[in-house]
Amino acid sequence: MQCFSQLTPPTAVTHAVSLPFLSASANNLVVAKTSLLQIYSFKSVISNAIEQDAGIPNGHDRRTSGFKGQGRDRVQTTKLVLIAQYDLSGTIIGLGRVKTLKSTSGGEAVLVALKDAKLSLIEWDPERYSISTISVHLYERDDIQVAPWALDDAQCVNQLTTDPSSRCAALKFGARHVAILPFHQAGDELVMDDFDGGVSEDQSRLTHSSHKQTNGDSHHSTPYRGSFVLSMLALDPGLMHVVHLGFLHEYREPTFGVLSSRLAASSALHDRRNVLSYAVYTLDLEQRASTTLLSVANLPYDIHTILPLSVPIGGALLVGCNELIHVDQAGKANGIAVNDFARRNTSFPLPSQPELALRLEGCTIEHLGSSNGDMLIILRSGELAILRFRIDGRSVSGLSVRLIQEQSGGHLLSAAASCTAGVGRGRIFVGSEENDSVVIGWTSRSTKLKRQRSVVESNEHADAMLLDLDDDEEEAEDEDDLYFNDKPDAQLSAQPTSSPTDTEIDEYSFRIHDSLVNMAPLGSLIVMEAQSSVLTDPSSLEDAPNELELVVSTGHRKAGKLTKLRMGISPPIKHRFDLGNVQAAWSVVVKNLTAESSLPTDDYDGVIVTSIVTDAGEEQSHAYTLLTEPPTELLESDFDSSAGATIALGTLSGGTRIVQVLKNEIRAYEDDLSLAQIFPISEDPTPEDPRIVAASFAEPYLLLLRDDSKTMLLKADDAGELEEVEQGDRLSSTGWLSISLFDDSNDVFRLAGEEEEADDEGSSVLMFLLNVNGGLQIYKASDLSRSVYSANGLSFLPPFLSEEFMIRRSSAREPLVEILVAELGDTVTKSPYLILRSANDDVTIYNPYQSAIEGASNSSLRFAKISALGLSKLVTSKVAEDQNYPIQKLRAIQDVGGYSTVFRSGVLPCMVLKIASAAMQIIPLKNASMKSFASFHTPDCQRGYLSVDDLGVISAASFPLNADFSTGWLAETLLSGKDIAVFDYHTVTDRYVLGVSDISEYKLPEDELHPEWVHEDTQFLPQIEQGSIQIFTPSSGTITDTYPLDSGEVVMCIKTMSLEVSENTHIRRSLIVVGTSFILGEDLGTKGRIYIFDIIEVVPDPELPETSRKLKLIAKEEVKGAVTSLSEVGTEGFLLVAQGQKCMVRGLKEDGTLLPVAFIDAQCYISVVKELKASGLCIIADAVKGVWLTGYLEDPYQLRLFGKSAQHFEVVAAEFLPHGKDLYIVVGDAEGEMHVFQFDPHNPKSLTGQRLLHLSNFNTGAYPTTMTLLAGHPSTDPLANGRETSISSDDTPTSLHQILVTSQNGAFSLLSSLSPSAYRTLAALQAYLTNTLPHPLGLNPRAYRSAEADNTVGGRVMLDGDVLKRWKELGSWKRAEGMARAGVDAEWEFEALLEGVWL
């Protein structure tokens, strides 16, 4: 009984499309990351050119990219802003842009293709500020597969292509089928619903229950017509093997080109060099027929892509591995060979540029948008090149290619691109699965020289530009953009088209505007304690750490990195102040002081104000100067420490008045801390008078909440004096629980009213009040006579909140206790959010938006709940009952490391963080319980924060400069620029041992049987990997030693093991074991080597003290077959080696040889070997037969087979999962499915243990790379705490293990064991959520996760944690219904169970 949960979202971008999605005038980017769909908009900001040159790598640091520089040009930069994202129950294989006749938003629609022949048509719904699924189309009927031997859809490469004029879309699926989905066009007279053409019927499913009009025509209930399926052989009998297809531009009818072959792919190159043909077909959508327009035969076999070209070029570009061929609308072909291999591979006539030596495998080509049709080529290595067409009249007469030099941005990218999309004038989005996805901008160098400005003029112009440009304004701003190409068409077309020499200046120059962080593909992983000591056995139950760090290799080739990850933040403490039993603290900027004053006079914080409780129980407030170390109290100022406890501290009157809120009065100080005013809350103070319990500041207002649930509003006049503002009857007669002021200067809420003068001070300040019934009331601070917005249903926490929302027949309200409206974001963009805290410290966040609903009130303000913030045990479910915590636990801080964020104090403190290009995150703080937070900015702790712990000690901390929070985890790059295949950590020396791969050219060796190999007649040599073993020192961040390997030898595995080094003394030592393989081609036998190294201490370089450690070779042995996996085994210090088709146990002898002591023959390639620590039980998994369970015996030495799987599948990762007395084996295959096996020799179906029982399987949708068994944790069943609950328990609480899974798409996942009672409860919850929650794109989570398998023992299905984590998306009344369905009385019981499926 297990549950699979995705901890972080995928980061590898697979598809992208640019279109106006949110509205007709919007410019949006829709990005697909396997099972994640994201919608972005663009924002222009002003950045410094120095940041692009050397300061900030690829624009990654979004916190400082908007800061002003000194002495350099300032340029306009395009940034990505995430609008929404959706986790899908499916794997995206294509995106298409469709312009429908009418949509609810006015923008265009997106057609999403998913694995297994599914299409979903979506559009933006402004009423709900979310996507809306128009239709779902399924093409999975059995009668489509006409031949019983035909391949399954999952085994075929499916492809989506859309007509440029949005007349139809085509989904090529299966071996030879294509589904055509037509769309209604203006002027349609016929409806095809009743037409019967004798082909497969439409298999679309309308998901709109209302069938509302989307095209403006009464007889068109949908924007699409009935779809139909055609066989490619029906189009042309010669289309036996379709390679690629695409719709072409500038045709009156939908027309697409097909690249196909009559023969299957073969290694007989001499006989099958020119087997491909390119044909163009036009579709008659009404008759469901096609006509062949042209055909070009005898094309090179290595062409793999059709790229349709728009005007002025037209036709299609055929992309091969060694050549580019253009075919125009008349069938005329022109091409160019880009390396020396092209003439060997084809007899097709091609002009050649062999000096380019380009490899076009995996390249991506995108239009540059210029009028001469130039195109950008992104090679697999990340290099950039320009493709230019020579145009004679209206036809293309030739092609030329030129590489972009490094100084012009030709080496900006480090890895291959997976997709590209033009996102505006001079901007291209480049998605990647191996590196960060980026937005690059280009310009013409001649244009830059002509429009060059002086530094002063450029800075003055940049200062005058608006940072947030509307779409209409952006086009005008581009005229003054330094990176905009406005060269006249005639001048562009007059450029030479022949291949330029290297001495010429590149016409185009590129730079990076913004990036999306990508950690894919994830490689080797080690689990470490937070104190940076490795866990030699992460699965050990003893001394299991509460906080873990993960170190993982990410990226590929030059984009490779070594990255450290943590689930929470534990920033280094810069200062620690013990100033008594502090309850809260604030920092103050003190200005306008005389020269005699001892306080600082700049923008840094100079004073700390504390609220303390003495040992006698007396409440006091003190002020300390920060000029001394430690801080000393300001005794000579007017600050009175005996005035009582400080409730809040803030500034008014432009920072010239420091306002201290006490329980019974308000004190205002000048900016030199001299007392200016005392404002009592009552004229004749008595002990029975109400006390102030909360306060909120917004220039020029101060809002107070008293303990009698009444409010007071004070306003500072021009002189800074505080005066009370008269309240209306309704405001004064209502009881309030929480208050918040917000200055809506950008009019996001649009509640200011037309009668208010825009320049009135405080006219944009809004009061957000939470009444005792859980309702929301919004008042204008300038007019308290009436509320401008009222939402009485707030406490139900609905997914969408409006004034009209109300549940009349439910009492299941969330006990809300605090409300806060604050801006969240970074320097790119900031937006206000409504943040709520409940009595159990759960945080709920709403995003305000504007959308008028027909028949609703005058206000168009709506609130959308932000989903998938997580039900982490580090964030929720544990509540502090201590009364010492303040009533206001939410604290907004404007600048912490460049972020505007909100901290929540309490037993489990956390931080709400929003990055412009990433989703909202709630990040736990890995500290003790915190009473208070405040901003802190000093020279040695810039843009940091103060925190007060349970002991009353103040700590000052700041974020690491290279930290990234895009995934919700803290990610720090330790090393970059290395292609790290595998690595491990050596605990004794605190060093990482890396297996690094580089690319080198391969020359044929000297061979007596092949003397002709010596004289190769080509300079374009093939490339192979060249491995090396390196030592990385984390303290210095440098490589300190390298052990090179032979040519063609690559590192396959590295493990740190405690091996026995002496047969006589049995001494054991921590050594590095390395397995390698020689990759030289399929015609040569594979061999490998086993290396054993020790890291010894040597005399370091005096200038480089980190070079004190070197690798020392202890043993080296060459074996037959590749060494693919290593593991420690037994208790005597031996190692288990997977070499070729055998698994062998070896021992290290004193003479440096490896003695085999036991082996087992697997008969095929072994992918995984692992031992359950010190148990002798071993997993052996191979690439064909499945998984084996073996046992290692030490007396006598032998490896014995216990059981194996009955099914055959390709295993890529495997791990043990012990659960009490039961032993499970979890296996991940190449199809992304997770299989659970059990070894149970007492079960009759296991044949006395010879067959592993296949209990369940689960589709993860991602290729797994590693599995790591984590330490067991106590059962989260509420009965484990001895509390009575409605959940029945039929098992004893035990320690439950978890498996951490990494995937090729950059996602981390967790597979958790569950007790039977927890499983039954969560299974009921999952069934309820699956039927209740709306699922994006109309997909079915149950169908997505299920996989076909022979479950002969009837095992229970694995639970889907991605569905369970959406529990908080439901409103409170829906959650109450779900608890009733599952038989649970209290919600905390659910949350306690859900804690067990996350780290």
Side-chain angles (χ1 to χ4, degrees):
M1 292 165 288
Q2 299 83 24
C3 178
F4 182 87
S5 308
Q6 188 171 273
L7 299 177
T8 63
T11 59
V13 174
T14 57
H15 303 85
V17 62
S18 175
L19 76 164
F21 189 63
L22 300 186
S23 65
S25 59
N27 182 19
N28 300 115
L29 178 71
V30 179
V31 171
K33 299 178 179 179
T34 57
S35 60
L36 183 68
L37 187 70
Q38 295 180 317
I39 302 170
Y40 290 91
S41 64
F42 297 93
K43 182 176 181 180
S44 294
V45 300
I46 303 302
S47 61
N48 300 311
I50 189 172
E51 295 175 359
Q52 303 296 333
D53 294 340
I56 296 177
N58 296 351
H60 282 188
D61 197 338
R62 307 174 67 89
R63 298 172 292 170
T64 60
S65 59
F67 294 164
K68 294 183 179 180
Q70 297 179 354
R72 290 298 304 268
D73 291 343
R74 302 176 66 200
V75 295
Q76 181 178 322
T77 303
T78 301
K79 296 293 185 179
L80 290 165
V81 178
L82 181 66
I83 302 298
Q85 72 176 26
Y86 304 92
D87 290 313
L88 306 180
S89 299
T91 302
I92 298 175
I93 61 170
L95 297 174
R97 173 179 176 177
V98 177
K99 184 178 179 63
T100 57
L101 290 181
K102 186 177 181 181
S103 65
T104 55
S105 65
E108 298 183 5
V110 176
L111 188 63
V112 183
L114 299 113
K115 197 176 179 181
D116 299 333
K118 297 178 183 178
L119 291 176
S120 290
L121 184 64
I122 62 173
E123 65 179 3
W124 185 255
D125 185 0
E127 182 177 317
R128 302 183 68 84
Y129 204 73
S130 178
I131 60 173
S132 174
T133 306
I134 301 175
S135 61
V136 180
H137 307 264
L138 313 176
Y139 304 97
E140 297 176 329
R141 278 188 5 186
D142 295 335
D143 58 350
I144 293 180
Q145 301 291 348
V146 294
W149 57 84
L151 294 176
D152 185 76
D153 291 347
Q155 298 175 315
C156 301
V157 178
N158 300 341
Q159 180 200 348
L160 172 68
T161 179
T162 56
D163 179 48
S165 300
S166 299
R167 291 167 291 194
C168 66
L171 175 66
K172 184 262 176 185
F173 68 97
R176 300 181 183 91
H177 288 93
V178 58
I180 306 297
L181 178 61
F183 298 100
H184 288 297
Q185 299 295 311
D188 284 347
E189 297 294 334
L190 300 177
V191 179
M192 299 174 57
D193 295 340
D194 297 331
F195 181 80
D196 184 7
V199 294
S200 299
E201 296 180 357
D202 175 37
Q203 300 173 54
S204 62
R205 182 177 304 165
L206 183 65
T207 58
H208 276 315
S209 60
S210 59
H211 295 267
K212 56 185 178 182
Q213 304 298 321
T214 59
N215 52 16
D217 198 342
S218 59
H219 63 274
H220 291 161
S221 60
T222 61
Y224 57 89
R225 301 177 179 180
S227 65
F228 53 94
V229 176
L230 295 176
S231 171
M232 301 301 291
L233 298 178
L235 296 177
D236 189 336
L239 300 178
M240 293 291 296
H241 304 281
V242 178
V243 178
H244 199 259
L245 58 87
F247 279 99
L248 305 180
H249 295 262
E250 304 302 320
Y251 282 91
R252 297 183 61 181
E253 297 292 337
T255 303
F256 61 91
V258 180
L259 185 67
S260 64
S261 171
R262 288 180 176 271
L263 302 175
S266 172
S267 59
L269 181 59
H270 180 73
D271 299 327
R272 299 188 180 184
R273 292 194 303 168
N274 305 302
V275 296
L276 295 184
S277 62
Y278 170 73
V280 176
Y281 303 90
T282 181
L283 285 175
D284 187 340
L285 298 178
E286 296 184 1
Q287 300 298 324
R288 300 184 179 181
S290 64
T291 304
T292 304
L293 298 184
L294 62 91
S295 179
V296 179
N298 299 323
L299 293 173
Y301 81 100
D302 58 352
I303 295 178
H304 51 78
T305 302
I306 298 174
L307 185 62
L309 303 179
S310 58
V311 291
I313 306 301
L317 181 67
L318 308 183
V319 184
C321 297
N322 307 296
E323 65 280 321
L324 297 169
I325 299 176
H326 174 264
V327 180
D328 62 14
Q329 295 178 347
K332 178 184 175 182
N334 291 277
I336 183 173
V338 296
N339 57 45
D340 206 20
F341 275 157
R343 58 184 176 84
R344 303 166 182 258
N345 295 341
T346 181
S347 58
F348 194 87
L350 293 172
S352 181
Q353 285 185 263
E355 68 278 2
L356 292 173
L358 300 184
R359 293 173 169 86
L360 299 182
E361 297 94 338
C363 75
T364 306
I365 303 179
E366 180 62 38
H367 298 270
L368 280 177
S370 56
S371 59
N372 63 350
D374 288 355
M375 307 190 75
L376 175 66
I377 303 176
I378 304 174
L379 301 177
R380 187 173 183 178
S381 62
E383 296 178 275
L384 305 182
I386 298 296
L387 170 64
R388 172 158 293 175
F389 298 89
R390 184 186 301 113
I391 302 177
D392 292 339
R394 295 186 176 181
S395 62
V396 175
S397 60
L399 290 77
S400 65
V401 178
R402 180 182 175 180
L403 283 169
I404 299 296
Q405 301 301 313
E406 183 176 2
Q407 61 269 22
S408 299
H411 296 171
L412 284 176
L413 308 182
S414 303
S418 59
C419 60
T420 57
V423 295
R425 306 176 67 183
R427 308 288 188 270
I428 295 175
F429 174 78
V430 181
S432 177
E433 297 183 73
E434 301 175 352
N435 192 18
D436 294 346
S437 300
V438 297
V439 176
I440 61 174
W442 57 269
T443 183
S444 169
R445 184 171 296 276
S446 59
T447 301
K448 289 172 58 179
L449 295 175
K450 183 177 66 175
R451 301 178 61 88
Q452 185 93 23
R453 295 191 184 98
S454 66
V455 174
V456 176
E457 183 183 356
S458 297
N459 287 335
E460 290 177 353
H461 173 72
D463 289 334
M465 291 178 64
L466 294 176
L467 295 183
D468 192 359
L469 299 177
D470 295 330
D471 296 314
D472 294 337
E473 297 172 349
E474 186 174 355
E475 184 174 354
E477 293 289 352
D478 282 338
E479 298 298 330
D480 294 323
D481 188 4
L482 290 175
Y483 286 85
F484 169 62
N485 178 18
D486 62 349
K487 183 181 294 185
D489 297 348
Q491 184 179 353
L492 285 171
S493 61
Q495 296 294 326
T497 58
S498 60
S499 177
T501 63
D502 293 337
T503 59
E504 295 182 20
I505 299 177
D506 288 325
E507 180 182 354
Y508 294 100
S509 179
F510 296 86
R511 71 180 179 101
I512 291 180
H513 287 243
D514 199 8
S515 63
L516 299 178
V517 174
N518 176 27
M519 292 193 296
L522 294 173
S524 294
L525 171 76
I526 60 174
V527 181
M528 307 177 67
E529 293 182 359
Q531 293 78 15
S532 298
S533 60
V534 73
L535 289 179
T536 56
D537 179 22
S539 62
S540 175
L541 290 176
E542 298 180 358
D543 301 326
N546 293 325
E547 302 178 13
L548 298 180
E549 285 183 350
L550 310 177
V551 181
V552 63
S553 60
T554 64
H556 188 53
R557 297 292 172 88
K558 293 184 294 184
K561 299 177 183 177
L562 193 66
T563 305
K564 180 190 289 186
L565 298 166
R566 294 190 64 179
M567 289 192 63
I569 303 177
S570 291
I573 302 298
K574 300 295 183 66
H575 299 283
R576 192 179 296 274
F577 310 122
D578 189 359
L579 304 177
N581 187 15
V582 179
Q583 302 301 307
W586 298 264
S587 60
V588 181
V589 177
V590 181
K591 301 179 181 179
N592 299 334
L593 300 180
T594 62
E596 293 79 9
S597 175
S598 60
L599 296 178
T601 58
D602 51 22
D603 291 336
Y604 291 115
D605 294 333
V607 173
I608 290 181
V609 176
T610 64
S611 177
I612 69 172
V613 177
T614 64
D615 295 338
E618 182 182 359
E619 295 179 339
Q620 297 179 354
S621 297
H622 298 269
Y624 298 86
T625 177
L626 293 172
L627 280 186
T628 60
E629 184 65 33
T632 57
E633 187 173 1
L634 293 173
L635 300 177
E636 298 180 358
S637 66
D638 293 341
F639 198 89
D640 187 5
S641 61
S642 62
T646 301
I647 302 300
L649 193 77
T651 60
L652 293 176
S653 299
T656 61
R657 286 293 176 94
I658 301 173
V659 180
Q660 179 190 20
V661 180
L662 303 172
K663 289 187 176 182
N664 53 6
E665 65 183 16
I666 295 92
R667 296 194 173 199
Y669 299 87
E670 300 286 353
D671 49 14
D672 59 353
L673 285 184
S674 60
L675 185 62
Q677 181 186 6
I678 298 178
F679 188 96
I681 63 172
S682 59
E683 296 181 358
D684 298 321
T686 62
E688 291 78 16
D689 289 341
R691 301 297 183 93
I692 300 174
V693 295
S696 180
F697 291 86
E699 190 76 35
Y701 294 99
L702 170 60
L703 181 61
L704 306 173
L705 177 65
R706 304 183 313 199
D707 56 7
D708 60 353
S709 301
K710 303 301 179 182
T711 62
M712 290 181 61
L713 182 65
L714 306 182
K715 181 179 181 180
D717 58 17
D718 296 338
E721 296 293 322
L722 294 175
E723 298 179 354
E724 184 175 0
V725 179
E726 184 179 353
Q727 300 186 19
D729 295 338
R730 183 175 180 182
L731 179 60
S732 59
S733 61
T734 306
W736 308 104
L737 290 177
S738 182
I739 58 174
S740 178
L741 285 180
F742 179 74
D743 187 1
D744 189 19
S745 57
N746 296 324
D747 199 20
V748 175
F749 293 93
R750 299 183 187 177
L751 298 174
E754 299 179 356
E755 69 280 359
E756 193 76 38
E757 293 293 335
D759 55 353
D760 286 350
E761 186 180 11
S763 61
S764 58
V765 176
L766 300 176
M767 293 171 47
F768 292 81
L769 305 176
L770 178 67
N771 61 34
V772 293
N773 295 322
L776 171 66
Q777 299 285 334
I778 304 178
Y779 287 81
K780 290 168 51 180
S782 58
D783 182 11
L784 302 182
S785 60
R786 61 181 181 88
S787 64
V788 294
Y789 190 86
S790 177
N792 295 323
L794 176 65
S795 59
F796 289 104
L797 299 181
F800 297 93
L801 177 66
S802 63
E803 286 188 289
E804 295 75 25
F805 175 82
M806 176 54 66
I807 300 296
R808 301 184 182 278
R809 297 185 179 180
S810 176
S811 60
R813 294 177 178 266
E814 187 77 8
L816 300 178
V817 295
E818 188 175 357
I819 184 173
L820 176 66
V821 177
E823 283 190 336
L824 298 175
D826 52 18
T827 57
V828 175
T829 182
K830 297 178 183 178
S831 300
Y833 293 89
L834 175 65
I835 306 173
L836 307 171
R837 183 177 65 87
S838 63
N840 61 351
D841 271 3
D842 281 345
V843 175
T844 304
I845 303 176
Y846 279 91
N847 178 30
Y849 68 97
Q850 302 290 332
S851 177
I853 300 177
E854 185 177 354
S857 62
N858 295 329
S859 175
S860 60
L861 177 61
R862 305 286 182 265
F863 294 89
K865 184 195 291 187
I866 297 179
S867 60
L869 288 179
L871 271 173
S872 174
K873 63 183 178 182
L874 298 174
V875 179
T876 63
S877 78
K878 290 186 178 180
V879 185
E881 302 293 343
D882 194 344
Q883 298 298 323
N884 291 331
Y885 287 95
I887 188 174
Q888 288 181 300
K889 291 186 177 182
L890 301 177
R891 180 71 62 86
I893 301 179
Q894 291 300 316
D895 191 355
V896 178
Y899 299 107
S900 294
T901 181
V902 170
F903 287 86
R904 188 202 65 189
S905 57
V907 175
L908 295 171
C910 65
M911 178 182 67
V912 183
L913 192 66
K914 178 66 176 74
I915 303 175
S917 61
M920 184 82 67
Q921 306 289 349
I922 296 183
I923 301 176
L925 300 177
K926 298 284 189 169
N927 302 99
S929 302
M930 292 297 168
K931 297 179 180 179
S932 175
F933 290 94
S935 62
F936 191 69
H937 181 47
T938 59
D940 55 352
C941 186
Q942 298 196 15
R943 308 302 176 189
Y945 67 91
L946 291 176
S947 60
V948 181
D949 60 22
D950 270 350
L951 300 178
V953 178
I954 304 175
S955 301
S958 60
F959 294 161
L961 291 178
N962 61 341
D964 178 78
F965 303 96
S966 300
T967 62
W969 289 7
L970 173 61
E972 298 181 68
T973 300
L974 303 178
L975 178 67
S976 61
K978 297 287 185 179
D979 188 4
I980 304 173
V982 288
F983 76 97
D984 206 351
Y985 181 76
H986 194 254
T987 310
V988 177
T989 60
D990 188 26
R991 299 292 195 276
Y992 292 94
V993 183
L994 314 178
V996 179
S997 294
D998 296 315
I999 299 299
S1000 62
E1001 293 185 340
Y1002 176 72
K1003 297 193 66 174
L1004 293 173
E1006 295 183 4
D1007 192 289
E1008 296 180 356
L1009 300 179
H1010 300 87
E1012 69 277 5
W1013 286 4
V1014 180
H1015 307 287
E1016 291 190 73
D1017 58 348
T1018 179
Q1019 299 298 321
F1020 186 64
L1021 297 176
Q1023 296 179 337
I1024 60 173
E1025 292 187 14
Q1026 173 70 49
S1028 63
I1029 304 168
Q1030 301 180 355
I1031 293 181
F1032 170 67
T1033 305
S1035 59
S1036 62
T1038 57
I1039 300 295
T1040 55
D1041 191 23
T1042 300
Y1043 184 90
L1045 301 179
D1046 292 344
S1047 177
E1049 187 179 10
V1050 296
V1051 180
M1052 302 293 291
C1053 48
I1054 292 180
K1055 289 290 183 183
T1056 301
M1057 301 183 187
S1058 177
L1059 299 181
E1060 183 181 280
V1061 296
S1062 174
E1063 299 174 87
N1064 300 322
T1065 61
H1066 302 290
I1067 295 176
R1068 299 175 68 166
R1069 197 187 317 168
S1070 179
L1071 301 176
I1072 308 296
V1073 184
V1074 181
T1076 68
S1077 174
F1078 286 84
I1079 304 176
L1080 301 177
E1082 67 276 5
D1083 56 337
L1084 299 177
T1086 303
K1087 62 179 180 179
R1089 285 176 181 164
I1090 304 173
Y1091 296 86
I1092 297 181
F1093 293 95
D1094 191 8
I1095 299 181
I1096 62 174
E1097 188 173 1
V1098 297
V1099 178
D1101 188 328
E1103 298 182 357
L1104 300 173
E1106 64 271 13
T1107 59
S1108 61
R1109 299 285 181 173
K1110 298 289 184 180
L1111 287 170
K1112 178 184 178 182
L1113 183 63
I1114 302 297
K1116 174 182 176 181
E1117 181 167 337
E1118 186 170 311
V1119 297
K1120 183 178 180 181
V1123 180
T1124 56
S1125 188
L1126 297 167
S1127 176
E1128 247 183 294
V1129 65
T1131 60
E1132 298 181 352
F1134 290 173
L1135 66 150
L1136 180 62
V1137 183
Q1139 53 184 71
Q1141 300 177 359
K1142 291 181 174 60
C1143 262
M1144 193 169 293
V1145 178
R1146 291 176 174 267
L1148 178 62
K1149 300 178 64 178
E1150 293 183 354
D1151 59 358
T1153 59
L1154 295 173
L1155 177 65
V1157 297
F1159 79 96
I1160 190 171
D1161 193 351
Q1163 302 176 357
C1164 56
Y1165 176 90
I1166 299 173
S1167 55
V1168 180
V1169 294
K1170 285 186 178 180
E1171 185 211 25
L1172 187 61
K1173 186 67 175 180
S1175 67
L1177 294 174
C1178 302
I1179 294 175
I1180 300 177
D1182 56 60
V1184 177
K1185 294 186 177 181
V1187 60
W1188 301 9
L1189 176 64
T1190 62
Y1192 169 66
L1193 304 178
E1194 295 178 343
D1195 189 16
Y1197 295 122
Q1198 61 176 313
L1199 275 175
R1200 179 180 299 175
L1201 176 64
F1202 288 163
K1204 60 183 178 179
S1205 60
Q1207 296 82 10
H1208 289 185
F1209 44 83
E1210 181 181 353
V1211 180
V1212 295
E1215 186 57 275
F1216 286 102
L1217 184 62
H1219 180 77
K1221 297 181 180 180
D1222 297 327
L1223 179 62
Y1224 300 93
I1225 299 174
V1226 181
V1227 174
D1229 64 17
E1231 300 299 325
E1233 294 184 6
M1234 202 77 67
H1235 304 264
V1236 179
F1237 294 90
Q1238 183 183 9
F1239 176 66
D1240 185 6
H1242 301 291
N1243 192 313
K1245 296 183 179 180
S1246 69
L1247 304 180
T1248 65
Q1250 298 181 35
R1251 174 176 295 181
L1252 297 177
L1253 302 178
H1254 193 182
L1255 300 182
S1256 65
N1257 55 346
F1258 186 86
N1259 180 29
T1260 65
Y1263 184 95
T1265 54
T1266 64
M1267 291 185 181
T1268 305
L1269 182 63
L1270 301 180
H1273 63 277
S1275 172
T1276 55
D1277 194 316
L1279 284 177
N1281 298 326
R1283 299 177 63 176
E1284 296 183 359
T1285 175
S1286 59
I1287 301 178
S1288 61
S1289 178
D1290 51 9
D1291 59 296
T1292 303
T1294 59
S1295 294
L1296 304 178
H1297 285 76
Q1298 296 174 315
I1299 296 178
L1300 184 64
V1301 183
T1302 61
S1303 303
Q1304 198 171 28
N1305 62 2
F1308 287 87
S1309 304
L1310 193 69
L1311 191 146
S1312 305
S1313 293
L1314 297 174
S1315 63
S1317 60
Y1319 179 88
R1320 287 191 296 267
T1321 304
L1322 293 180
L1325 172 62
Q1326 176 178 316
Y1328 174 76
L1329 292 175
T1330 302
N1331 297 328
T1332 304
L1333 288 170
H1335 303 293
L1337 277 63
L1339 302 176
N1340 185 353
R1342 188 181 293 110
Y1344 171 60
R1345 295 303 190 183
S1346 63
E1348 296 181 2
D1350 183 18
N1351 294 330
T1352 57
V1353 296
R1356 295 185 177 182
V1357 298
M1358 193 180 300
L1359 298 182
D1360 188 355
D1362 292 345
V1363 174
L1364 294 174
K1365 73 179 181 181
R1366 298 180 62 187
W1367 167 250
K1368 287 294 184 180
E1369 291 185 23
L1370 297 176
S1372 60
W1373 77 101
K1374 286 289 186 181
R1375 295 206 301 269
E1377 180 182 342
M1379 290 188 294
R1381 295 278 185 91
V1384 176
D1385 295 331
E1387 189 172 356
W1388 68 267
E1389 298 177 6
F1390 262 147
E1391 296 187 2
L1393 295 177
L1394 289 172
E1395 287 181 2
V1397 299
W1398 280 277
L1399 281 177

